[in-house]
Amino acid sequence: MTQTDRTRERLIETYRKKAKHYDITSRLYPAPGYPQRTQRLRAVLALGLGPGDTVVDIACGTGLNFPLLEKVVGPGGRIVGVDLTDAMLARAQDRMETNGWSNVSLVQADAAGFDFPAGVNAILSTYAMTQVPECAEVIAHGAKALSGGGRWVVLDLKVPGGTPGWLAQLGTATVRPFASIDEWIMRRPWDVIRAAMQEELAYLSWTELCFGTAFLAAGSRGPGTFGVRPRESGHQ
Ligand SMILES: C[S@@+](CC[C@H](N)C(=O)[O-])C[C@H]1O[C@@H](n2cnc3c(N)ncnc32)[C@H](O)[C@@H]1O
């Protein structure tokens, strides 16, 4: 078993334990009072979806984004939720049944090996992509599956620039119990994600949220030829 396999096994075990109470405990994520719902809303708006569109939610967990996505794609649209952890998907299934949504399909898969359906209008990933060691490949695979003008949006946590290593470790210890905190800080997956999105998408926007503790990255597939336009940056 490789180190990556071991990390993945630990991650699945962690989310199996969390699944039952995830919808409640995640409200405290990464800290009580954190504006997670506002950030999710911004991420969904950044997808630029309309009625009848198809969206893939990568590492969808229990489907906390689904109500927001349902509002924009409507009953004629389609949501594909993908996640590695069976127990998280079981919760997402409960959510679908409770709400009577017949336009959601769930796929248990590793994002790294997921075969994106061709021609999707948008791809979303919230609070998950920095946990995926192959995040750059996932972004590249997804970008190729997007329809012309389709959007890829990633919302996730990061360490604010200029934070001393010891403070970053302390701050992230509570939210990354399944993996080496040092590894996450050292690897700086948000930089990997930004570089991959710049490489694969046009019109990339990168916005730092909540004092640099999160980022919202959104890019679109050009209508024909690919080309990276000068990026916009913002801090909020
Ligand atoms: C913090 S939860 C976020 C869930 C959801 N996106 C949300 O915003 O509430 C992280 C999720 O990522 C999933 N995950 C982590 N690595 C993954 C991978 N390589 N492929 C698919 N899902 C993965 C976990 O199973 C878990 O459900």
Side-chain angles (χ1 to χ4, degrees), residues 8 11-12 14-16 18-19 22-23 26 29 36 40 57-65 82-89 95 107-114 124-135 138 155-157 175-176 178:
R8 190 160 291 137
L11 189 137
I12 293 172
T14 302
Y15 280 108
R16 277 191 182 141
K18 283 177 180 240
Y22 179 84
D23 289 359
S26 70
Y29 180 83
Q36 197 198 111
R40 283 183 193 279
D57 187 346
I58 285 286
C60 65
T62 61
L64 282 176
N65 295 324
V82 180
D83 203 281
L84 191 56
T85 309
D86 47 5
M88 294 293 271
L89 284 175
R95 190 186 304 281
V107 182
Q108 187 179 358
D110 189 328
F114 178 64
L124 173 67
S125 185
T126 57
Y127 307 115
M129 198 54 95
T130 62
Q131 298 171 19
V132 180
E134 306 85 353
C135 52
V138 177
L155 165 67
D156 209 339
L157 301 179
V175 297
R176 304 281 167 188
F178 46 81

Coordinates of all heavy atoms in Angstrom, one line a residue, residues 8 11-12 14-16 18-19 22-23 26 29 36 40 57-65 82-89 95 107-114 124-135 138 155-157 175-176 178, ligand 1:
R8 N -5.7 8.0 2.0 CA -7.1 7.9 1.5 C -7.9 7.0 2.5 O -9.0 7.3 2.8 CB -7.0 7.3 0.1 CG -8.3 7.3 -0.6 CD -8.1 7.2 -2.1 NE -7.5 8.4 -2.6 CZ -6.5 8.4 -3.6 NH1 -6.0 7.2 -4.0 NH2 -6.0 9.5 -4.0
L11 N -8.7 8.9 5.5 CA -9.7 9.9 5.2 C -11.1 9.3 5.2 O -12.0 9.8 5.8 CB -9.3 10.5 3.9 CG -10.1 11.7 3.5 CD1 -9.2 12.8 2.9 CD2 -11.2 11.4 2.5
I12 N -11.2 8.1 4.5 CA -12.6 7.5 4.5 C -13.0 7.1 5.9 O -14.2 7.3 6.2 CB -12.5 6.2 3.6 CG1 -12.2 6.6 2.1 CG2 -13.8 5.4 3.7 CD1 -12.0 5.5 1.1
T14 N -12.2 8.5 8.6 CA -12.6 9.7 9.4 C -14.0 10.2 9.0 O -14.8 10.5 9.8 CB -11.6 10.8 9.0 OG1 -10.3 10.4 9.4 CG2 -11.9 12.1 9.8
Y15 N -14.3 10.2 7.7 CA -15.6 10.7 7.2 C -16.7 9.7 7.5 O -17.9 10.1 7.6 CB -15.5 11.1 5.8 CG -14.9 12.5 5.7 CD1 -13.7 12.7 5.2 CD2 -15.6 13.6 6.2 CE1 -13.1 14.0 5.1 CE2 -15.0 14.9 6.2 CZ -13.8 15.0 5.6 OH -13.2 16.3 5.6
R16 N -16.4 8.4 7.6 CA -17.4 7.4 8.0 C -17.9 7.8 9.4 O -19.0 7.7 9.8 CB -16.9 6.0 8.0 CG -16.9 5.4 6.6 CD -16.6 3.9 6.6 NE -16.6 3.4 5.3 CZ -15.8 2.5 4.8 NH1 -14.8 2.0 5.6 NH2 -15.9 2.1 3.6
K18 N -17.7 10.7 10.8 CA -18.3 12.1 10.9 C -19.6 12.1 10.2 O -20.4 13.0 10.5 CB -17.4 13.1 10.1 CG -16.2 13.5 10.8 CD -15.4 14.4 9.9 CE -14.1 14.9 10.6 NZ -14.0 16.3 10.7
A19 N -19.9 11.2 9.3 CA -21.1 11.3 8.4 C -22.4 11.6 9.2 O -23.1 12.5 8.8 CB -21.2 10.1 7.6
Y22 N -22.5 15.1 10.5 CA -21.7 16.1 9.7 C -22.5 17.4 9.4 O -22.0 18.5 9.5 CB -21.3 15.5 8.3 CG -20.6 16.5 7.4 CD1 -19.2 16.7 7.6 CD2 -21.2 17.2 6.5 CE1 -18.5 17.6 6.8 CE2 -20.6 18.1 5.7 CZ -19.2 18.3 5.9 OH -18.5 19.2 5.1
D23 N -23.8 17.3 9.2 CA -24.6 18.5 8.8 C -24.6 19.5 10.0 O -24.7 20.7 9.8 CB -26.0 18.1 8.4 CG -26.1 17.4 7.1 OD1 -25.0 17.3 6.4 OD2 -27.1 17.1 6.6
S26 N -20.5 20.4 10.9 CA -19.9 21.2 9.9 C -20.2 22.7 10.0 O -19.5 23.5 9.5 CB -20.2 20.7 8.4 OG -21.6 21.0 8.2
Y29 N -17.4 24.5 11.3 CA -16.2 24.3 10.5 C -15.8 25.5 9.7 O -16.7 26.1 9.0 CB -16.5 23.1 9.5 CG -15.4 22.7 8.6 CD1 -14.4 21.8 9.0 CD2 -15.4 23.2 7.3 CE1 -13.5 21.4 8.1 CE2 -14.5 22.7 6.4 CZ -13.5 21.9 6.8 OH -12.5 21.5 5.9
Q36 N -19.7 30.0 6.6 CA -19.6 29.0 5.6 C -20.8 29.1 4.6 O -20.6 28.9 3.4 CB -19.7 27.6 6.3 CG -19.3 26.5 5.5 CD -19.7 25.2 6.2 OE1 -20.6 24.5 5.7 NE2 -19.2 24.9 7.3
R40 N -20.6 29.4 0.6 CA -21.3 28.4 -0.3 C -22.1 29.1 -1.4 O -22.1 28.7 -2.5 CB -22.2 27.4 0.4 CG -21.5 26.4 1.2 CD -22.5 25.4 1.9 NE -21.9 24.6 2.9 CZ -21.2 23.5 2.6 NH1 -21.1 23.1 1.4 NH2 -20.6 22.8 3.6
D57 N -20.9 18.1 -8.6 CA -20.4 18.5 -7.2 C -19.4 17.5 -6.8 O -19.7 16.4 -6.4 CB -21.6 18.6 -6.2 CG -21.2 19.2 -4.9 OD1 -20.0 19.3 -4.6 OD2 -22.1 19.6 -4.1
I58 N -18.1 17.8 -6.9 CA -17.0 16.9 -6.6 C -16.7 16.9 -5.1 O -16.6 18.0 -4.5 CB -15.8 17.3 -7.4 CG1 -15.9 16.9 -8.9 CG2 -14.5 16.7 -6.8 CD1 -15.8 15.4 -9.2
A59 N -16.7 15.7 -4.5 CA -16.5 15.5 -3.1 C -17.7 16.2 -2.4 O -17.5 17.0 -1.5 CB -15.2 16.0 -2.6
C60 N -18.9 15.8 -2.8 CA -20.1 16.5 -2.4 C -20.5 16.2 -0.9 O -21.4 16.9 -0.4 CB -21.3 16.0 -3.3 SG -21.7 14.2 -3.1
G61 N -19.9 15.2 -0.3 CA -20.2 14.9 1.1 C -21.7 14.5 1.2 O -22.2 13.8 0.4
T62 N -22.3 15.1 2.2 CA -23.8 14.8 2.5 C -24.7 15.6 1.6 O -25.9 15.6 1.8 CB -24.1 15.1 4.0 OG1 -23.8 16.5 4.2 CG2 -23.2 14.3 4.9
G63 N -24.1 16.4 0.7 CA -25.0 17.2 -0.2 C -25.5 18.5 0.3 O -26.5 19.0 -0.1
L64 N -24.6 19.1 1.1 CA -25.0 20.4 1.7 C -25.2 21.5 0.6 O -25.9 22.5 0.8 CB -24.0 20.9 2.7 CG -24.1 20.3 4.1 CD1 -23.0 20.8 5.0 CD2 -25.4 20.6 4.7
N65 N -24.6 21.3 -0.6 CA -24.7 22.3 -1.7 C -26.0 22.1 -2.5 O -26.4 22.9 -3.3 CB -23.6 22.3 -2.6 CG -22.3 22.7 -2.0 OD1 -22.3 23.6 -1.2 ND2 -21.2 22.1 -2.4
V82 N -20.4 13.5 -6.4 CA -19.4 12.4 -6.4 C -18.7 12.5 -5.1 O -18.3 13.6 -4.6 CB -18.4 12.7 -7.5 CG1 -17.2 11.7 -7.6 CG2 -19.0 12.9 -8.9
D83 N -18.5 11.3 -4.4 CA -17.7 11.3 -3.2 C -17.1 10.0 -3.0 O -17.6 8.9 -3.5 CB -18.6 11.7 -2.0 CG -17.8 12.2 -0.8 OD1 -17.2 11.4 -0.1 OD2 -17.7 13.5 -0.6
L84 N -16.0 10.0 -2.2 CA -15.2 8.8 -1.9 C -15.9 7.9 -0.8 O -15.7 6.7 -0.8 CB -13.8 9.2 -1.5 CG -12.7 8.3 -1.3 CD1 -12.4 7.6 -2.6 CD2 -11.4 9.1 -0.9
T85 N -16.6 8.6 0.1 CA -17.0 8.0 1.4 C -18.4 7.5 1.3 O -19.3 8.4 1.2 CB -16.8 8.9 2.6 OG1 -15.4 9.4 2.5 CG2 -17.0 8.2 3.9
D86 N -18.7 6.2 1.4 CA -20.0 5.7 1.3 C -21.0 6.3 2.3 O -22.1 6.6 2.0 CB -19.9 4.1 1.5 CG -19.1 3.7 2.6 OD1 -18.6 4.6 3.4 OD2 -18.9 2.5 2.8
A87 N -20.5 6.5 3.5 CA -21.4 7.0 4.6 C -21.8 8.4 4.3 O -23.0 8.8 4.7 CB -20.7 6.8 6.0
M88 N -21.0 9.2 3.7 CA -21.3 10.6 3.4 C -22.4 10.6 2.3 O -23.4 11.3 2.3 CB -20.1 11.4 3.0 CG -19.1 11.6 4.0 SD -19.6 12.7 5.4 CE -19.2 14.3 4.8
L89 N -22.2 9.7 1.3 CA -23.2 9.6 0.2 C -24.5 9.0 0.7 O -25.6 9.4 0.2 CB -22.6 8.6 -0.9 CG -21.5 9.3 -1.8 CD1 -21.0 8.2 -2.7 CD2 -22.0 10.5 -2.5
R95 N -31.0 13.0 1.9 CA -31.4 14.3 1.6 C -32.2 14.4 0.3 O -33.2 15.1 0.3 CB -30.1 15.2 1.5 CG -30.4 16.7 1.4 CD -29.1 17.5 1.1 NE -28.1 17.3 2.1 CZ -28.0 17.9 3.2 NH1 -29.0 18.7 3.6 NH2 -27.0 17.6 4.1
V107 N -22.5 9.3 -7.2 CA -21.5 8.3 -7.7 C -20.4 8.2 -6.6 O -19.9 9.2 -6.1 CB -20.8 8.9 -8.9 CG1 -19.8 7.9 -9.5 CG2 -21.8 9.2 -10.0
Q108 N -20.2 6.9 -6.1 CA -19.1 6.7 -5.2 C -17.8 6.5 -6.0 O -17.6 5.5 -6.7 CB -19.3 5.5 -4.3 CG -18.3 5.4 -3.2 CD -18.5 4.3 -2.2 OE1 -19.4 3.5 -2.4 NE2 -17.6 4.1 -1.3
A109 N -16.9 7.5 -5.9 CA -15.7 7.4 -6.7 C -14.6 8.3 -6.1 O -15.0 9.3 -5.4 CB -15.9 7.8 -8.1
D110 N -13.4 8.0 -6.3 CA -12.3 8.9 -6.0 C -12.3 10.0 -7.1 O -12.3 9.7 -8.3 CB -11.0 8.1 -6.0 CG -9.8 8.9 -5.5 OD1 -9.8 10.2 -5.7 OD2 -8.9 8.3 -4.9
A111 N -12.2 11.2 -6.7 CA -12.2 12.4 -7.6 C -11.1 12.2 -8.6 O -11.2 12.5 -9.8 CB -12.1 13.7 -6.9
A112 N -10.0 11.6 -8.2 CA -8.8 11.4 -9.0 C -9.1 10.5 -10.2 O -8.5 10.7 -11.3 CB -7.6 10.9 -8.2
G113 N -10.0 9.6 -10.0 CA -10.3 8.6 -11.1 C -11.6 8.8 -11.8 O -12.0 8.0 -12.6
F114 N -12.3 9.9 -11.4 CA -13.7 10.1 -11.8 C -13.7 10.5 -13.3 O -13.0 11.3 -13.7 CB -14.4 11.1 -11.0 CG -15.8 11.4 -11.4 CD1 -16.8 10.4 -11.4 CD2 -16.2 12.7 -11.9 CE1 -18.1 10.7 -11.8 CE2 -17.5 12.9 -12.3 CZ -18.4 11.9 -12.3
L124 N -18.4 22.0 -9.4 CA -18.2 22.7 -8.1 C -17.5 21.8 -7.1 O -17.7 20.6 -7.1 CB -19.6 23.0 -7.5 CG -19.6 23.6 -6.1 CD1 -19.0 25.0 -6.0 CD2 -21.1 23.7 -5.6
S125 N -16.6 22.3 -6.3 CA -16.1 21.6 -5.2 C -15.9 22.5 -4.0 O -15.3 23.6 -4.1 CB -14.7 20.9 -5.5 OG -14.3 20.1 -4.4
T126 N -16.5 22.1 -2.8 CA -16.4 23.0 -1.7 C -15.8 22.3 -0.5 O -16.2 21.1 -0.1 CB -17.8 23.5 -1.2 OG1 -18.7 22.4 -1.0 CG2 -18.5 24.4 -2.3
Y127 N -14.8 22.9 0.1 CA -14.2 22.4 1.4 C -13.6 21.0 1.2 O -13.7 20.2 2.2 CB -15.1 22.5 2.6 CG -15.7 23.9 2.8 CD1 -17.1 24.1 2.6 CD2 -14.9 25.0 3.1 CE1 -17.6 25.4 2.8 CE2 -15.4 26.3 3.2 CZ -16.8 26.5 3.1 OH -17.3 27.7 3.2
A128 N -13.1 20.7 0.1 CA -12.7 19.3 -0.1 C -11.4 19.2 -1.0 O -10.6 18.3 -0.8 CB -13.8 18.5 -0.8
M129 N -11.3 20.1 -2.0 CA -10.3 19.9 -3.0 C -8.8 19.9 -2.5 O -8.0 19.2 -3.0 CB -10.4 20.9 -4.1 CG -9.8 20.6 -5.4 SD -10.2 18.9 -6.0 CE -11.5 19.4 -7.1
T130 N -8.6 20.6 -1.4 CA -7.2 20.7 -0.8 C -6.9 19.4 -0.1 O -5.7 19.2 0.3 CB -7.0 21.9 0.2 OG1 -7.9 21.7 1.3 CG2 -7.2 23.2 -0.5
Q131 N -7.9 18.5 0.0 CA -7.6 17.2 0.6 C -7.2 16.1 -0.4 O -6.9 15.0 -0.1 CB -8.9 16.6 1.4 CG -9.3 17.5 2.5 CD -10.7 17.1 3.0 OE1 -11.1 15.9 2.8 NE2 -11.3 17.9 3.7
V132 N -7.4 16.5 -1.7 CA -7.2 15.5 -2.7 C -5.8 15.7 -3.3 O -5.4 16.7 -3.9 CB -8.2 15.7 -3.9 CG1 -8.0 14.7 -5.0 CG2 -9.6 15.7 -3.3
P133 N -4.9 14.7 -3.1 CA -3.5 14.9 -3.5 C -3.4 15.1 -5.0 O -2.5 15.9 -5.4 CB -2.9 13.5 -3.1 CG -3.8 12.9 -2.1 CD -5.1 13.4 -2.4
E134 N -4.3 14.6 -5.8 CA -4.2 14.8 -7.2 C -5.1 15.9 -7.7 O -5.7 15.9 -8.8 CB -4.7 13.5 -7.9 CG -4.0 12.2 -7.5 CD -4.6 11.5 -6.3 OE1 -5.5 12.1 -5.6 OE2 -4.1 10.4 -6.0
C135 N -5.2 17.0 -6.9 CA -6.2 18.0 -7.2 C -5.9 18.7 -8.6 O -6.8 19.0 -9.3 CB -6.2 19.1 -6.1 SG -4.6 19.8 -5.7
V138 N -7.4 16.5 -11.2 CA -8.9 16.5 -11.2 C -9.4 17.8 -11.9 O -10.3 17.8 -12.7 CB -9.4 16.5 -9.7 CG1 -10.9 16.6 -9.6 CG2 -9.0 15.2 -9.0
L155 N -14.1 26.2 -3.8 CA -14.1 26.9 -2.6 C -13.4 26.1 -1.5 O -13.8 24.9 -1.4 CB -15.5 27.2 -2.2 CG -15.8 27.7 -0.7 CD1 -15.2 29.1 -0.4 CD2 -17.3 27.7 -0.4
D156 N -12.4 26.6 -0.9 CA -11.8 25.8 0.2 C -11.0 26.6 1.1 O -10.9 27.8 0.9 CB -10.9 24.7 -0.5 CG -10.7 23.4 0.4 OD1 -11.0 23.5 1.6 OD2 -10.4 22.4 -0.1
L157 N -10.5 26.0 2.2 CA -9.8 26.7 3.2 C -8.3 26.8 2.8 O -7.8 26.0 1.9 CB -9.8 26.0 4.5 CG -11.2 25.8 5.1 CD1 -11.2 25.0 6.4 CD2 -11.9 27.1 5.3
V175 N -9.2 21.2 12.2 CA -10.0 20.9 11.0 C -9.3 19.9 10.1 O -10.0 19.4 9.1 CB -10.2 22.2 10.2 CG1 -11.1 23.1 11.0 CG2 -9.0 22.8 9.7
R176 N -8.1 19.5 10.3 CA -7.5 18.5 9.4 C -7.0 17.3 10.3 O -5.8 17.0 10.2 CB -6.3 19.1 8.7 CG -6.6 20.3 7.9 CD -7.3 19.9 6.6 NE -7.9 21.1 6.0 CZ -8.7 21.1 4.9 NH1 -9.0 20.0 4.3 NH2 -9.1 22.2 4.4
F178 N -7.3 14.2 9.9 CA -7.1 12.9 9.2 C -5.8 12.9 8.5 O -5.4 11.8 7.9 CB -8.2 12.7 8.1 CG -8.5 14.0 7.4 CD1 -7.7 14.3 6.3 CD2 -9.5 14.8 7.8 CE1 -7.9 15.5 5.7 CE2 -9.7 16.0 7.1 CZ -8.9 16.3 6.0
Ligands
LIG1 C1 -15.1 18.5 4.5 S1 -16.1 17.4 3.5 C2 -16.8 18.5 2.4 C3 -18.1 17.9 1.9 C4 -18.9 18.9 1.0 N1 -18.3 19.3 -0.2 C5 -19.3 20.1 1.8 O1 -19.0 21.2 1.3 O2 -19.9 20.0 2.9 C6 -14.9 16.6 2.5 C7 -15.5 15.5 1.6 O3 -14.5 15.2 0.6 C8 -14.6 13.8 0.3 N2 -13.3 13.5 -0.3 C9 -12.1 13.6 0.1 N3 -11.2 13.2 -0.7 C10 -11.9 12.8 -1.8 C11 -11.5 12.2 -3.1 N4 -10.2 12.0 -3.4 N5 -12.5 11.9 -3.9 C12 -13.8 12.1 -3.6 N6 -14.2 12.6 -2.4 C13 -13.2 12.9 -1.6 C14 -14.8 13.2 1.7 O4 -15.3 11.9 1.6 C15 -15.8 14.2 2.3 O5 -17.1 13.8 2.1

